[in-house]
Amino acid sequence: MKVWILYDTQFGNGKKLAEAFKEHFPTEYEVKTGDVKDISPSSVAQDKPDVLILGGAIRMFRGAPKSKKWVKNLNSELKNLNYKVKYAGAYLTHGLATDKIQGHGKRFLKKLQKASMIENTHSELLTAQVEEQEGPIKKEEIQKAQKYMQDFINWLK
Ligand SMILES: Cc1cc2nc3c(=O)[nH]c(=O)nc-3n(C[C@H](O)[C@H](O)[C@H](O)COP(=O)(O)O)c2cc1C
């Protein structure tokens, strides 16, 4: 299975999560990672991945606007190719307390669920709180993320 993990990072925390996610995948998965600012939706669509994991960050009270726009464009590109991504998941990094960002999480997940060229979206979104704006991700959040990653991979099987 081909997997793409995308993120929109400023200080590298989103990228770290993507790399941790990649390490959880067994070797039979071909996993690629990249920033939505560098990787075009058309190049990912043309690669015809089975799995998409999309990360983003909450900044200025806005939940992952670049990642949302990216997935909208990806959906258009997939339509052009008449190719459907089978599985998707999402994660958000944030500075505010976890209970304060649930609305952002739901709306971000909805963007994936609404994308007509994505067949199944994992019902749970991973959130990871950073200690300071620049990071690092809180220790307990790393443990939560590792459990989420394993659950996500089991869900694919
Ligand atoms: C300009 C700016 C605004 C931010 N606003 C918010 C915010 O409204 N809510 C929040 O939870 N975190 C906020 N943060 C913290 C970011 O979520 C955090 O820097 C980011 O998740 C770290 O991930 P990154 O290293 O991948 O960019 C803000 C950070 C910056 C730099």
Side-chain angles (χ1 to χ4, degrees), residues 7-15 56-62 92-97 101 104 128 130 132-135:
Y7 48 82
D8 164 29
T9 191
Q10 191 175 344
F11 303 113
N13 297 282
K15 184 177 180 192
I58 302 178
R59 295 187 195 102
M60 311 286 257
F61 303 103
R62 295 179 70 208
L92 271 181
T93 58
H94 58 95
L96 288 178
I101 55 98
H104 286 299
V130 290
E132 311 282 340
Q133 284 199 347
E134 300 84 32

Coordinates of all heavy atoms in Angstrom, one line a residue, residues 7-15 56-62 92-97 101 104 128 130 132-135, ligand 1:
Y7 N 1.7 17.6 5.9 CA 1.6 18.5 7.1 C 1.9 19.9 6.7 O 2.3 20.1 5.6 CB 2.6 18.0 8.2 CG 4.0 17.8 7.7 CD1 4.9 18.9 7.5 CD2 4.4 16.6 7.3 CE1 6.1 18.7 7.0 CE2 5.7 16.4 6.8 CZ 6.6 17.5 6.6 OH 7.8 17.3 6.1
D8 N 1.5 20.8 7.6 CA 1.8 22.2 7.3 C 2.5 22.7 8.6 O 1.9 23.0 9.6 CB 0.5 23.0 7.1 CG 0.8 24.5 7.2 OD1 1.9 25.0 6.9 OD2 -0.2 25.2 7.6
T9 N 3.9 22.8 8.5 CA 4.6 23.0 9.8 C 5.3 24.4 9.7 O 5.8 24.8 8.6 CB 5.6 21.9 10.1 OG1 6.1 22.1 11.4 CG2 6.8 21.8 9.1
Q10 N 5.5 25.0 10.8 CA 6.3 26.2 10.9 C 7.5 26.0 11.7 O 8.6 26.4 11.4 CB 5.4 27.3 11.6 CG 6.0 28.7 11.5 CD 5.1 29.8 12.0 OE1 3.9 29.6 12.2 NE2 5.6 30.9 12.3
F11 N 7.4 25.2 12.8 CA 8.5 25.0 13.7 C 9.0 23.5 13.7 O 9.8 23.1 14.5 CB 8.2 25.4 15.2 CG 7.7 26.8 15.3 CD1 6.4 27.2 15.6 CD2 8.7 27.9 15.0 CE1 6.0 28.5 15.7 CE2 8.3 29.2 15.1 CZ 7.0 29.5 15.5
G12 N 8.4 22.7 12.9 CA 8.8 21.3 12.8 C 8.1 20.3 13.6 O 8.3 19.1 13.5
N13 N 7.1 20.7 14.4 CA 6.4 19.7 15.2 C 5.5 18.8 14.4 O 5.4 17.6 14.6 CB 5.6 20.5 16.3 CG 6.4 21.2 17.3 OD1 7.1 20.6 18.1 ND2 6.6 22.5 17.1
G14 N 4.8 19.4 13.4 CA 4.0 18.6 12.5 C 4.8 17.6 11.7 O 4.3 16.5 11.5
K15 N 6.0 18.0 11.3 CA 6.9 17.1 10.6 C 7.3 16.0 11.5 O 7.4 14.8 11.0 CB 8.1 17.9 10.1 CG 9.0 17.1 9.2 CD 10.2 17.9 8.7 CE 11.1 17.1 7.9 NZ 12.3 17.7 7.5
G56 N -2.1 19.3 10.3 CA -2.2 20.8 10.2 C -1.9 21.3 11.6 O -1.8 20.6 12.5
A57 N -1.9 22.7 11.7 CA -1.7 23.3 13.0 C -2.8 24.4 13.1 O -3.3 25.0 12.2 CB -0.3 24.0 13.0
I58 N -3.1 24.7 14.4 CA -4.1 25.8 14.7 C -3.2 27.0 14.9 O -2.3 27.0 15.7 CB -4.9 25.5 15.9 CG1 -5.7 24.2 15.7 CG2 -5.9 26.6 16.2 CD1 -6.6 23.8 16.9
R59 N -3.5 28.0 14.1 CA -2.8 29.3 14.3 C -3.8 30.5 14.1 O -4.6 30.4 13.2 CB -1.7 29.5 13.2 CG -0.5 28.4 13.4 CD 0.6 28.7 12.4 NE 1.5 27.5 12.4 CZ 1.4 26.6 11.4 NH1 0.7 26.8 10.3 NH2 2.2 25.5 11.4
M60 N -3.6 31.4 15.0 CA -4.5 32.6 15.0 C -6.0 32.1 15.0 O -6.8 32.7 14.2 CB -4.3 33.5 13.8 CG -2.8 33.8 13.6 SD -2.2 35.0 14.7 CE -2.2 36.5 13.7
F61 N -6.3 31.1 15.8 CA -7.7 30.6 16.0 C -8.2 30.0 14.7 O -9.4 29.8 14.6 CB -8.6 31.7 16.5 CG -8.1 32.3 17.8 CD1 -7.5 33.5 17.9 CD2 -8.2 31.6 19.0 CE1 -7.0 34.0 19.1 CE2 -7.8 32.0 20.2 CZ -7.2 33.3 20.3
R62 N -7.3 29.7 13.8 CA -7.8 29.1 12.5 C -7.2 27.7 12.5 O -6.0 27.5 12.7 CB -7.4 29.9 11.3 CG -8.1 31.3 11.3 CD -7.6 32.1 10.1 NE -8.1 31.5 8.8 CZ -7.5 31.7 7.7 NH1 -6.4 32.3 7.6 NH2 -8.1 31.2 6.6
L92 N -3.8 17.3 14.2 CA -3.7 18.7 14.4 C -2.7 18.9 15.5 O -2.8 18.3 16.6 CB -5.0 19.4 14.8 CG -6.0 19.9 13.8 CD1 -7.2 20.5 14.6 CD2 -5.4 20.9 12.9
T93 N -1.8 19.9 15.4 CA -1.0 20.3 16.5 C -1.6 21.7 17.0 O -2.1 22.4 16.2 CB 0.5 20.5 16.2 OG1 0.7 21.4 15.1 CG2 1.1 19.2 15.8
H94 N -1.4 21.9 18.3 CA -2.1 23.2 18.8 C -1.4 23.6 20.1 O -0.7 22.7 20.8 CB -3.6 22.9 19.1 CG -3.8 21.7 20.0 ND1 -4.0 21.8 21.3 CD2 -3.8 20.4 19.8 CE1 -4.2 20.6 21.9 NE2 -4.0 19.7 21.0
G95 N -1.6 24.8 20.5 CA -1.0 25.3 21.7 C -2.0 25.3 22.9 O -1.7 25.1 24.0
L96 N -3.3 25.6 22.5 CA -4.4 25.7 23.5 C -4.7 24.3 24.1 O -4.4 23.3 23.5 CB -5.6 26.3 22.9 CG -5.6 27.8 22.6 CD1 -6.9 28.2 22.0 CD2 -5.3 28.7 23.9
A97 N -5.4 24.3 25.2 CA -5.8 23.0 25.9 C -6.6 22.2 24.9 O -7.4 22.8 24.1 CB -6.6 23.3 27.1
I101 N -10.0 22.9 21.5 CA -9.8 22.9 20.1 C -10.6 21.8 19.4 O -10.4 21.5 18.2 CB -8.3 22.8 19.7 CG1 -7.6 21.5 20.4 CG2 -7.5 24.0 20.2 CD1 -7.5 20.3 19.6
H104 N -12.3 22.8 16.1 CA -11.4 22.9 15.0 C -11.1 21.5 14.4 O -11.0 21.2 13.2 CB -10.0 23.4 15.4 CG -10.1 24.9 15.7 ND1 -10.4 25.8 14.7 CD2 -9.8 25.7 16.8 CE1 -10.3 27.0 15.1 NE2 -10.0 27.0 16.4
A128 N -2.3 17.0 19.1 CA -1.1 16.9 19.9 C -0.8 18.4 20.3 O -0.5 19.3 19.5 CB 0.1 16.4 19.1
V130 N 1.4 21.4 22.0 CA 2.8 21.7 22.2 C 3.0 22.5 23.5 O 2.0 23.1 23.9 CB 3.3 22.6 21.0 CG1 3.4 21.7 19.7 CG2 2.4 23.8 20.7
E132 N 5.2 25.0 24.1 CA 5.3 26.4 23.7 C 4.9 26.5 22.2 O 4.9 25.4 21.6 CB 6.7 27.0 23.8 CG 7.4 26.7 25.2 CD 7.0 27.6 26.3 OE1 6.4 28.7 25.9 OE2 7.1 27.3 27.4
Q133 N 4.8 27.7 21.7 CA 4.4 27.8 20.2 C 5.4 27.0 19.3 O 5.0 26.4 18.4 CB 4.4 29.3 19.8 CG 3.1 30.0 20.3 CD 2.9 31.3 19.5 OE1 3.7 31.7 18.8 NE2 1.7 31.8 19.7
E134 N 6.7 27.1 19.7 CA 7.7 26.4 18.9 C 7.8 25.0 19.2 O 8.6 24.2 18.6 CB 9.1 27.1 19.1 CG 9.2 28.6 18.7 CD 8.7 29.4 19.9 OE1 8.9 29.0 21.0 OE2 8.2 30.5 19.6
G135 N 7.1 24.5 20.2 CA 7.2 23.1 20.6 C 8.1 23.0 21.9 O 8.3 24.1 22.5
Ligands
LIG1 C1 1.2 33.1 15.1 C2 0.7 31.9 15.9 C3 -0.6 31.8 16.3 C4 -1.0 30.7 17.0 N1 -2.3 30.6 17.4 C5 -2.8 29.5 18.0 C6 -4.2 29.4 18.3 O1 -5.0 30.2 18.0 N2 -4.6 28.3 19.0 C7 -3.7 27.3 19.3 O2 -4.1 26.3 19.9 N3 -2.4 27.4 19.0 C8 -1.9 28.4 18.4 N4 -0.6 28.5 18.0 C9 0.3 27.4 18.4 C10 0.5 26.5 17.2 O3 -0.5 25.6 17.1 C11 1.9 25.8 17.2 O4 2.9 26.7 17.1 C12 2.0 24.7 16.2 O5 1.0 23.7 16.3 C13 3.3 24.1 16.2 O6 3.4 23.2 15.1 P1 4.5 23.4 13.9 O7 5.8 23.3 14.6 O8 4.2 22.2 13.1 O9 4.2 24.6 13.2 C14 -0.1 29.6 17.3 C15 1.2 29.7 16.9 C16 1.6 30.8 16.2 C17 3.1 30.9 15.7

